[in-house]
Amino acid sequence: QVQLVESGGGMVQTGGSLRLSCAASGITFNSYAMGWFRQSPGKEREFVAVFRWSGSRTYYADSVKGRFTISRDNAKSTVYLQMDSLKPEDTAVYYCVAGTGLISSTIGSRAAYKHWGQGTQVTVSS
């Protein structure tokens, strides 16, 4: 059974930092691209970042580029999202995702990711 378990969410003031973690089990972690999506109230779930194992490439949404950093520890089957310079518009539920066979044109698509975590709430106060 595949499980993606997020942790590290919480409340922080504008300009603050948080680090999200996602521990994976039930998958061959090295074979999967690992990433994050988020969803704010009344909005569509949107792509945040992904770390493709192939070539160790990372991709970010324009809205978080330069502020968020995704990393992975294959020995621990864990992916992280370091979030700095947080803004109120970053407030959302953040979901960990895992997928295979991603290509550049699909990395931002929800349908490209087979496995999803339950989500962790991040709230940024102004």
Side-chain angles (χ1 to χ4, degrees):
Q1 182 181 0
V2 178
Q3 282 193 309
L4 303 178
V5 180
E6 302 100 334
S7 61
M11 182 177 290
V12 65
Q13 291 186 330
T14 297
S17 298
L18 283 174
R19 189 175 84 151
L20 305 183
S21 300
C22 171
S25 60
I27 61 172
T28 303
F29 189 77
N30 291 5
S31 299
Y32 278 77
M34 301 296 299
W36 296 88
F37 277 66
R38 68 185 181 186
Q39 187 168 21
S40 304
K43 294 187 177 181
E44 294 286 320
R45 198 169 293 189
E46 63 176 3
F47 168 78
V48 175
V50 67
F51 195 125
R52 285 178 62 185
W53 180 238
S54 176
S56 297
R57 292 197 62 180
T58 56
Y59 300 84
Y60 296 91
D62 288 342
S63 59
V64 307
K65 205 171 291 183
R67 300 187 298 121
F68 290 12
T69 303
I70 189 170
S71 62
R72 61 191 288 166
D73 185 334
N74 288 334
K76 296 181 179 180
S77 296
T78 300
V79 62
Y80 304 96
L81 185 68
Q82 177 66 41
M83 305 185 294
D84 298 318
S85 302
L86 283 161
K87 305 175 181 179
E89 50 264 44
D90 295 318
T91 294
V93 177
Y94 284 71
Y95 297 91
C96 178
V97 296
T100 58
L102 272 67
I103 58 176
S104 297
S105 61
T106 64
I107 56 172
S109 169
R110 287 173 289 176
Y113 299 90
K114 183 176 182 180
H115 304 296
W116 291 72
Q118 292 300 305
T120 185
Q121 176 70 46
V122 171
T123 302
V124 184
S125 61
S126 56

